[in-house]
Amino acid sequence: VATVVLYLVIPKGLFPIQDTGVIQGITEAPQTVSFDAMEERQQLLVERLMEDPAVASVASIIGVDGINATLNNGRLLINLVPRERRDASAAGVIQRLGPRLANDPELRAAIRLFLQPVQDLTIEDRVSRTQYQFTLADADYNRLAAWVPRLTERLRTLPQLADVASDLQDKGLQAYVEIDRANASRFGITTQAIDTALYNAFGQRQISTIFTQSNLYRVVLEVKGEYQQGIADLERIHLTGIGAVGADGTSNGAVQVPLAAVARVTERLAPLAIGHQDQFPAVTVSFNLAPGVALGDAVAAIQRQRDLLGMPASIQTTFQGAALAYQASLTNMPLLIVAAIITMYIVLGVLYESFIHPVTILSTLPSAGVGALLALWLSGRELGIVAIIGLILLIGIVKKNAIMMIDFALEAERDEGKSPRDAIFEASLLRFRPIMMTTLAALLGALPLMIGGGVGSEMRQPLGIAMVFGLLLSQVLTLFTTPVIYLLFDRFSRWFLAEGRHRGRA
């Protein structure tokens, strides 16, 4: 009962957050930003980061590439000084940098920064602004764009979450060229001519290649950078048209016609990028965990807000990456442990040719589970994959101790004709030393995992805590409880056999 209660109470997660000395940052500027403006803002952000004493160096990347889908996003890789020279962990540095940069008057409206610690072990399949992802997908992108901001605002009010953001980019500016075909035809200007002129000006068209004796040089055509600053620069584009036609039907030659004479240029909002998942438009909402909050609590809070918001049934919501793996592990974890216990019972039943003695051996497992779960709970650790590995190791070690005792007692009963009480008493005395030796060997082997530091030690510590305290409590209890349970089940089996014979005679 205590094991089940502790399992229900203890916070649950997937992998512990490590301090590897590296922090990944995703920057986001207004969606209308240019490359030059983005470079200035990101450089200013780097200068602010370097003012922190915990930051050793910063690598900065901007521009559209395989990871950055839009120009207004950038990436930072922040290397921290060694842990012994820092006054805070990587998570503490993130908590310190976040509010300071958000309240900086020069950065507040210019650029936002989302931080997450780099992990040695991760199952994320995408780079997002923050550590965990929640994806919404719908066949109608407009409906998706209307509901995602509502959900994002709701999630930002939750105390379990921090740095909630989405990759919805639907506020970009796009210039639409509406051609007046009647005016264009009077000048003999075709739609293809307008498209070619615009691409020559802004598309960086390669028009020629210059070959020399040792090199070749590609000639790229575009207008100067100072003429690419705004929509007004489109009026500088001129097209080659046909001049006025005389009475005899002849033209007075080619003339330069401004683009504004044959087209109207307007600005409209447009999405910078549209993500897809399973061929449907999708938006990813990413989030970090608030200090001291487990992933399981955050997942439950998000699911409650999603249900309360009442989104249309067409919008499909799923967790991604670590959050999705956590949901799968939460579903399968109890079943796997129960399946392992049933398998052990069957194997032990075949070995001892008994239905009772395997139960005696397995009765030692709850004490190990209580010790491990209680230690994890008191130390503020989550029950994750690493801690579950420690519990599985405990099952094997603790079961082995009971097997050593009961196997000797059964042999003494069968070969030496001793009573169950004398047999288990002698087994407890003779097997005490090997039991203590094997337990101490396992305990001392796990001790460095529990108390060890260094880079990434957060991943190893739950395993050490579960093993050390699980072995301590189980060893203290099972040395006394195993003989008692052995005698209790022996009396029960004798009574059961006697009752069966009595009914047989009747």
Side-chain angles (χ1 to χ4, degrees), residues 5 47 139 146 199 239 316 339 347 371 406 409 419 429:
V5 171
E47 294 173 0
Y199 192 84
L239 309 168
Q316 303 297 314
V347 172
I406 292 173
S419 65
L429 293 177

PDB file of all heavy atoms in Angstrom, residues 5 47 139 146 199 239 316 339 347 371 406 409 419 429:
ATOM      1  N   VAL A   5       0.937   4.261  -2.825  1.00  0.00           N
ATOM      2  CA  VAL A   5       0.685   5.656  -2.449  1.00  0.00           C
ATOM      3  C   VAL A   5       1.852   6.546  -2.876  1.00  0.00           C
ATOM      4  O   VAL A   5       1.661   7.634  -3.442  1.00  0.00           O
ATOM      5  CB  VAL A   5       0.439   5.762  -0.936  1.00  0.00           C
ATOM      6  CG1 VAL A   5       0.406   7.229  -0.503  1.00  0.00           C
ATOM      7  CG2 VAL A   5      -0.862   5.080  -0.562  1.00  0.00           C
ATOM      8  N   GLU A  47      26.088  41.060 -26.735  1.00  0.00           N
ATOM      9  CA  GLU A  47      26.835  41.931 -25.819  1.00  0.00           C
ATOM     10  C   GLU A  47      26.235  41.907 -24.415  1.00  0.00           C
ATOM     11  O   GLU A  47      26.964  41.899 -23.414  1.00  0.00           O
ATOM     12  CB  GLU A  47      26.846  43.355 -26.371  1.00  0.00           C
ATOM     13  CG  GLU A  47      27.633  43.493 -27.678  1.00  0.00           C
ATOM     14  CD  GLU A  47      27.479  44.871 -28.279  1.00  0.00           C
ATOM     15  OE1 GLU A  47      26.764  45.712 -27.677  1.00  0.00           O
ATOM     16  OE2 GLU A  47      28.065  45.122 -29.360  1.00  0.00           O
ATOM     17  N   ALA A 139      -6.853  21.186 -40.824  1.00  0.00           N
ATOM     18  CA  ALA A 139      -6.850  21.343 -42.274  1.00  0.00           C
ATOM     19  C   ALA A 139      -7.044  22.797 -42.689  1.00  0.00           C
ATOM     20  O   ALA A 139      -6.607  23.207 -43.766  1.00  0.00           O
ATOM     21  CB  ALA A 139      -7.939  20.463 -42.889  1.00  0.00           C
ATOM     22  N   ALA A 146      -6.425  31.349 -35.599  1.00  0.00           N
ATOM     23  CA  ALA A 146      -7.314  32.058 -34.687  1.00  0.00           C
ATOM     24  C   ALA A 146      -7.291  31.462 -33.285  1.00  0.00           C
ATOM     25  O   ALA A 146      -7.442  32.187 -32.293  1.00  0.00           O
ATOM     26  CB  ALA A 146      -8.742  32.025 -35.240  1.00  0.00           C
ATOM     27  N   TYR A 199      12.334  40.476 -60.668  1.00  0.00           N
ATOM     28  CA  TYR A 199      13.322  39.468 -60.272  1.00  0.00           C
ATOM     29  C   TYR A 199      14.741  39.974 -60.526  1.00  0.00           C
ATOM     30  O   TYR A 199      15.656  39.696 -59.743  1.00  0.00           O
ATOM     31  CB  TYR A 199      13.081  38.171 -61.036  1.00  0.00           C
ATOM     32  CG  TYR A 199      13.863  37.012 -60.476  1.00  0.00           C
ATOM     33  CD1 TYR A 199      13.378  36.281 -59.406  1.00  0.00           C
ATOM     34  CD2 TYR A 199      15.108  36.657 -60.998  1.00  0.00           C
ATOM     35  CE1 TYR A 199      14.088  35.216 -58.869  1.00  0.00           C
ATOM     36  CE2 TYR A 199      15.833  35.616 -60.474  1.00  0.00           C
ATOM     37  CZ  TYR A 199      15.321  34.898 -59.415  1.00  0.00           C
ATOM     38  OH  TYR A 199      16.030  33.864 -58.875  1.00  0.00           O
ATOM     39  N   LEU A 239      10.126  49.960 -66.652  1.00  0.00           N
ATOM     40  CA  LEU A 239       9.934  48.906 -67.641  1.00  0.00           C
ATOM     41  C   LEU A 239      10.093  49.485 -69.040  1.00  0.00           C
ATOM     42  O   LEU A 239       9.831  50.683 -69.278  1.00  0.00           O
ATOM     43  CB  LEU A 239       8.536  48.294 -67.491  1.00  0.00           C
ATOM     44  CG  LEU A 239       8.151  47.845 -66.071  1.00  0.00           C
ATOM     45  CD1 LEU A 239       6.669  47.548 -65.992  1.00  0.00           C
ATOM     46  CD2 LEU A 239       8.966  46.627 -65.667  1.00  0.00           C
ATOM     47  N   GLN A 316      -6.530  18.988 -34.007  1.00  0.00           N
ATOM     48  CA  GLN A 316      -5.919  17.842 -33.336  1.00  0.00           C
ATOM     49  C   GLN A 316      -4.699  18.301 -32.542  1.00  0.00           C
ATOM     50  O   GLN A 316      -3.842  19.019 -33.072  1.00  0.00           O
ATOM     51  CB  GLN A 316      -5.506  16.778 -34.362  1.00  0.00           C
ATOM     52  CG  GLN A 316      -6.648  16.278 -35.233  1.00  0.00           C
ATOM     53  CD  GLN A 316      -7.724  15.589 -34.419  1.00  0.00           C
ATOM     54  OE1 GLN A 316      -7.437  14.764 -33.543  1.00  0.00           O
ATOM     55  NE2 GLN A 316      -8.983  15.922 -34.704  1.00  0.00           N
ATOM     56  N   ALA A 339       4.298  -6.950 -15.238  1.00  0.00           N
ATOM     57  CA  ALA A 339       4.685  -8.083 -16.093  1.00  0.00           C
ATOM     58  C   ALA A 339       5.995  -8.702 -15.621  1.00  0.00           C
ATOM     59  O   ALA A 339       6.153  -9.936 -15.636  1.00  0.00           O
ATOM     60  CB  ALA A 339       4.812  -7.617 -17.544  1.00  0.00           C
ATOM     61  N   VAL A 347       8.826 -18.122 -12.996  1.00  0.00           N
ATOM     62  CA  VAL A 347      10.142 -18.770 -13.007  1.00  0.00           C
ATOM     63  C   VAL A 347      10.462 -19.371 -11.640  1.00  0.00           C
ATOM     64  O   VAL A 347      10.932 -20.522 -11.528  1.00  0.00           O
ATOM     65  CB  VAL A 347      11.219 -17.753 -13.434  1.00  0.00           C
ATOM     66  CG1 VAL A 347      12.611 -18.355 -13.268  1.00  0.00           C
ATOM     67  CG2 VAL A 347      10.999 -17.310 -14.870  1.00  0.00           C
ATOM     68  N   GLY A 371      11.583   2.281  -0.050  1.00  0.00           N
ATOM     69  CA  GLY A 371      12.828   3.009   0.219  1.00  0.00           C
ATOM     70  C   GLY A 371      13.254   3.875  -0.942  1.00  0.00           C
ATOM     71  O   GLY A 371      13.646   5.040  -0.768  1.00  0.00           O
ATOM     72  N   ILE A 406      15.970 -18.538   1.471  1.00  0.00           N
ATOM     73  CA  ILE A 406      14.912 -19.538   1.365  1.00  0.00           C
ATOM     74  C   ILE A 406      15.422 -20.810   0.704  1.00  0.00           C
ATOM     75  O   ILE A 406      15.031 -21.926   1.076  1.00  0.00           O
ATOM     76  CB  ILE A 406      13.724 -18.932   0.599  1.00  0.00           C
ATOM     77  CG1 ILE A 406      13.091 -17.838   1.454  1.00  0.00           C
ATOM     78  CG2 ILE A 406      12.699 -19.982   0.226  1.00  0.00           C
ATOM     79  CD1 ILE A 406      12.022 -17.052   0.764  1.00  0.00           C
ATOM     80  N   ALA A 409      17.026 -22.792   3.365  1.00  0.00           N
ATOM     81  CA  ALA A 409      16.051 -23.342   4.309  1.00  0.00           C
ATOM     82  C   ALA A 409      15.325 -24.541   3.722  1.00  0.00           C
ATOM     83  O   ALA A 409      15.115 -25.559   4.411  1.00  0.00           O
ATOM     84  CB  ALA A 409      15.062 -22.259   4.703  1.00  0.00           C
ATOM     85  N   SER A 419      12.845 -28.893  11.057  1.00  0.00           N
ATOM     86  CA  SER A 419      11.560 -28.206  11.043  1.00  0.00           C
ATOM     87  C   SER A 419      11.714 -26.874  10.323  1.00  0.00           C
ATOM     88  O   SER A 419      12.826 -26.340  10.213  1.00  0.00           O
ATOM     89  CB  SER A 419      11.085 -27.961  12.475  1.00  0.00           C
ATOM     90  OG  SER A 419      11.968 -27.059  13.142  1.00  0.00           O
ATOM     91  N   LEU A 429      21.265 -17.368   9.852  1.00  0.00           N
ATOM     92  CA  LEU A 429      22.589 -17.220  10.436  1.00  0.00           C
ATOM     93  C   LEU A 429      23.694 -17.440   9.402  1.00  0.00           C
ATOM     94  O   LEU A 429      24.645 -16.659   9.304  1.00  0.00           O
ATOM     95  CB  LEU A 429      22.756 -18.199  11.594  1.00  0.00           C
ATOM     96  CG  LEU A 429      21.881 -17.941  12.838  1.00  0.00           C
ATOM     97  CD1 LEU A 429      22.128 -19.052  13.875  1.00  0.00           C
ATOM     98  CD2 LEU A 429      22.183 -16.577  13.446  1.00  0.00           C
TER      99      LEU A 429
END
